[in-house]
Amino acid sequence: MDEFELIRRYFAHLGATRADVKLGVGDDAALLRVPEGTDLVAAVDTLVEGRHFPAGADARSVGHRALAVNLSDLAAMGAEPAWATLALTLPSADIAWLEGFARGFGELASAHGVALVGGDTTAGPLTISVQILGHAPRGSALTRAGAKAGDLLAVTGTLGDAGAGLALATGALEMHDFASARELLLRFEYPTPRLEFGIAARGTASAAMDISDGLVGDLPKLAAACGLAAHVDVERLPMSRALHAAADVDQARAWALGGGDDYELLVAVPPEKFGTLAARAMQLNLTLTPIGALRPGNTVTWTLHGAEFTPPVQGFDHFRRASTQITV
Amino acid sequence: MDEFELIRRYFAHLGATRADVKLGVGDDAALLRVPEGTDLVAAVDTLVEGRHFPAGADARSVGHRALAVNLSDLAAMGAEPAWATLALTLPSADIAWLEGFARGFGELASAHGVALVGGDTTAGPLTISVQILGHAPRGSALTRAGAKAGDLLAVTGTLGDAGAGLALATGALEMHDFASARELLLRFEYPTPRLEFGIAARGTASAAMDISDGLVGDLPKLAAACGLAAHVDVERLPMSRALHAAADVDQARAWALGGGDDYELLVAVPPEKFGTLAARAMQLNLTLTPIGALRPGNTVTWTLHGAEFTPPVQGFDHFRRASTQITV
């Protein structure tokens, strides 16, 4: 099977069928109709084998994650996803792998109404770049900037699960509680982009970003974009029962602070609007936990039970990985 | 320097400054304003070191080519480019390389009014994916389909130069005519996307595509998309004086047929409109050479001086490279 046959077979009709796709995979470019009165929202994220997922990881999970990390960026903007392109570099034309990858990618795309509209398949070390395109009503998208001093900081869901899941996937962690282990592993392998919550937060949250590199790495970026200081009460970080089953509280907290890969949303919200936003989260079957606040200044500080606290881990950095980061 | 500093330093303000970029590099996603009454045009292309360019190739050329191959896809649609995102996987944070890459990418982006609006930098084997976004007046974009039997086939510029340029770059070819060698090398290292011609061909050409994999590989795709047979008179293929200086006519023809990387445009055009299109090309200082025609049927045939001809090379295929393809 040649390259073109490969592309046709697995990627010609992946994801949703949309009337606004005038021309999809198979020409030099795709033709898309962006709804009037909207801003186009575009993001790109790459996964590299052995770096963002363990070598030999299940192809279906890789397909899911390649799209999920991009959908999470749109969630952070409060945007509605619509179209994706895929640049797939593969060591060989491995049919079983392609089938699994296409299944993971396609299921998530269909679930969120995303059509794959373009792709490029090349030979080389396994690398997957997805560009996601979506839209939001003009001027309504959330950004990292815009919050005011006094706004609360809050996160969706629970933190640290994916960090523990990655440790399980690489054999760095073993657990006898199989139900909890499975839950943590799924949180790493099949992250859930918080798209509905992002849309619900438009007009209520004052700033938003997704937590992809760990709270310790990501929060300073939001604070800097707002031109404010941030403070977090570490004991407020939402952690799952499964995470507590995996390790003692210090290790659990380390994952919650710096583990990365959770793809929860970090939002700033004026205190008087927090109740509204939390209620919307509840309607989506999602928790929204206040963890701190923004203040005048330019520092990021952490306390644990009232005492100053230094996070034990750094954010995910591809060129200088923190020593506590598990190498995959 | 950490990953985020790298991105900020080299890619925060690459290319043109555009009023329709409401939010560029540095948030979770970019916010772009697509002109009303247009179709969004999106394409993605990846370059892998050792596959699409020789290992150790000049970084400025790599930056230029990574964008040029994508701009060429928009040219084939008759679209006007506007925004790009860049997924860059790098073995290490090599400052000199990044500077060269940013220069090559940035110069070409600025020349065509393209703003870099998003990026992702990851560690791994050198791989560059660019997604290009542009637009065309609604319904006006050129596609590979739509030509009628009897339409002429024509190509811009000259074919085969980049193939010879690649042979020079890899040491597979040596030349004593340094001026010609330089010309051929530049055609490989700094291809020119035919954007102005693509726009000029809207409403006149009946189908179009760019020649990235060689005419022998690409023409069958256009013919299939049109549901027609194609015929080419091989002696009509436009070849440069520099190419003839590089090798005998058989080898020159082999490069013109299958060399790839020329990024000229292949168009179909009704005979009565050919003169108009050729005149527009001339205004752009570009030749447009008729090389054959589309006919009822589903074959692709070639003749040389009236006799049936079998092209000596196949198109570029990343998973099954033709034996005559020079391995880089």
Side-chain angles (χ1 to χ4, degrees):
Chain A
M1 189 184 312
D2 73 14
E3 176 190 3
F4 310 108
E5 182 61 29
L6 264 183
I7 294 171
R8 261 194 303 278
R9 182 150 159 193
Y10 290 103
F11 301 118
H13 300 289
L14 216 51
T17 303
R18 298 178 61 98
D20 56 17
V21 178
K22 299 303 167 188
L23 188 64
V25 171
D27 211 294
D28 289 286
L31 294 175
L32 310 169
R33 197 137 305 172
V34 181
E36 294 200 356
T38 64
D39 286 326
L40 180 68
V41 188
V44 62
D45 257 316
T46 301
L47 301 186
V48 179
E49 183 175 47
R51 185 66 61 164
H52 301 91
F53 57 90
D58 182 59
R60 187 177 160 209
S61 160
V62 175
H64 177 103
R65 292 187 75 238
L67 181 58
V69 302
N70 280 280
L71 288 174
S72 181
D73 281 326
L74 288 207
M77 309 297 287
E80 183 183 319
W83 315 289
T85 62
L86 169 65
L88 182 58
T89 304
L90 284 175
S92 65
D94 178 335
I95 302 303
W97 193 93
L98 276 166
E99 278 177 358
F101 180 89
R103 187 177 165 205
F105 189 102
E107 284 173 347
L108 186 63
S110 296
H112 292 287
V114 173
L116 183 71
V117 298
D120 186 26
T121 312
T122 49
L126 185 55
T127 307
I128 306 123
S129 276
V130 172
Q131 162 133 2
I132 188 82
L133 298 169
H135 46 75
R138 198 163 280 187
S140 76
L142 297 167
T143 71
R144 293 181 183 178
K148 301 265 182 295
D151 286 0
L152 294 177
L153 292 167
V155 295
T156 59
T158 56
L159 299 181
D161 298 331
L166 175 59
L168 285 163
T170 58
L173 172 68
E174 290 188 3
M175 286 175 69
H176 297 293
D177 175 349
F178 289 118
S180 294
R182 183 168 181 279
E183 194 180 319
L184 296 171
L185 202 54
L186 284 174
R187 287 271 292 170
F188 174 73
E189 292 185 333
Y190 296 92
T192 304
R194 301 301 187 190
L195 286 156
E196 295 83 358
F197 178 80
I199 289 169
R202 288 197 307 233
T204 306
S206 52
M209 74 181 295
D210 75 328
I211 307 175
S212 53
D213 298 341
L215 188 65
V216 170
D218 287 330
L219 175 57
K221 296 178 208 164
L222 184 134
C226 292
L228 292 170
H231 177 77
V232 170
D233 293 331
V234 173
E235 72 273 15
R236 294 186 191 273
L237 297 182
M239 293 189 278
S240 69
R241 222 171 42 148
L243 186 65
H244 283 301
D248 63 30
V249 71
D250 286 344
Q251 178 59 60
R253 214 174 263 141
W255 277 317
L257 284 162
D261 296 317
D262 282 319
Y263 298 101
E264 296 294 347
L265 294 187
L266 168 67
V267 295
V269 56
E272 68 276 15
K273 293 184 178 174
F274 181 81
T276 303
L277 195 56
R280 287 184 195 159
M282 203 178 293
Q283 284 170 352
L284 296 168
N285 210 16
L286 194 62
T287 56
L288 181 70
T289 308
I291 60 168
L294 291 165
R295 301 170 175 175
N298 58 13
T299 56
V300 176
T301 52
W302 313 79
T303 54
L304 182 61
H305 305 306
E308 199 173 309
F309 179 81
T310 302
V313 287
Q314 298 187 334
F316 190 90
D317 178 336
H318 294 283
F319 292 111
R320 192 190 59 197
R321 306 198 71 179
S323 57
T324 53
Q325 181 84 39
I326 292 152
T327 301
V328 294
Chain B
M1 188 184 309
D2 73 13
E3 175 190 2
F4 309 108
E5 183 60 28
L6 263 184
I7 294 172
R8 261 194 303 277
R9 182 149 159 194
Y10 290 103
F11 302 118
H13 300 289
L14 216 51
T17 303
R18 297 177 62 99
D20 55 16
V21 177
K22 299 303 165 188
L23 188 65
V25 171
D27 211 292
D28 289 286
L31 294 175
L32 310 168
R33 197 137 306 172
V34 181
E36 295 200 354
T38 64
D39 286 326
L40 180 68
V41 187
V44 62
D45 257 315
T46 301
L47 300 187
V48 179
E49 183 176 46
R51 186 66 60 162
H52 301 91
F53 57 91
D58 182 60
R60 187 176 160 211
S61 160
V62 175
H64 177 102
R65 292 186 75 239
L67 181 59
V69 302
N70 280 280
L71 289 173
S72 180
D73 282 327
L74 288 208
M77 309 297 286
E80 184 183 319
W83 314 290
T85 63
L86 170 65
L88 183 57
T89 304
L90 284 175
S92 66
D94 178 336
I95 301 303
W97 193 92
L98 276 166
E99 278 177 358
F101 180 88
R103 186 175 165 209
F105 190 102
E107 284 172 346
L108 187 63
S110 296
H112 292 288
V114 173
L116 183 71
V117 297
D120 185 27
T121 312
T122 50
L126 185 55
T127 308
I128 306 123
S129 275
V130 172
Q131 163 133 1
I132 188 82
L133 298 169
H135 46 76
R138 198 161 281 186
S140 76
L142 298 166
T143 72
R144 294 182 183 177
K148 301 265 183 294
D151 285 359
L152 295 177
L153 291 167
V155 296
T156 59
T158 56
L159 300 181
D161 298 331
L166 174 60
L168 285 164
T170 59
L173 172 67
E174 291 188 2
M175 286 175 70
H176 297 292
D177 175 350
F178 289 118
S180 294
R182 183 167 181 278
E183 194 180 321
L184 296 171
L185 203 54
L186 285 174
R187 287 272 291 170
F188 173 74
E189 292 185 333
Y190 296 92
T192 304
R194 302 301 187 190
L195 286 156
E196 294 83 359
F197 179 79
I199 290 169
R202 288 196 307 233
T204 305
S206 52
M209 74 181 296
D210 75 328
I211 307 176
S212 53
D213 297 342
L215 188 65
V216 171
D218 288 330
L219 175 57
K221 296 178 208 164
L222 184 134
C226 292
L228 292 170
H231 177 78
V232 170
D233 293 331
V234 172
E235 72 273 15
R236 294 186 191 272
L237 297 182
M239 294 188 279
S240 69
R241 221 169 44 144
L243 185 65
H244 283 301
D248 64 30
V249 69
D250 287 343
Q251 179 59 60
R253 214 174 264 142
W255 277 318
L257 284 162
D261 295 317
D262 283 319
Y263 299 101
E264 296 294 348
L265 294 187
L266 169 67
V267 296
V269 56
E272 68 276 14
K273 294 185 178 173
F274 181 80
T276 303
L277 195 56
R280 286 184 195 158
M282 204 178 294
Q283 284 170 352
L284 297 168
N285 211 15
L286 194 63
T287 57
L288 181 69
T289 307
I291 60 168
L294 291 164
R295 300 169 175 174
N298 58 14
T299 56
V300 176
T301 53
W302 313 79
T303 54
L304 182 62
H305 305 307
E308 200 173 309
F309 179 81
T310 303
V313 287
Q314 297 187 335
F316 190 91
D317 179 336
H318 294 283
F319 292 110
R320 192 191 59 198
R321 306 199 70 181
S323 56
T324 52
Q325 181 84 40
I326 291 152
T327 301
V328 294

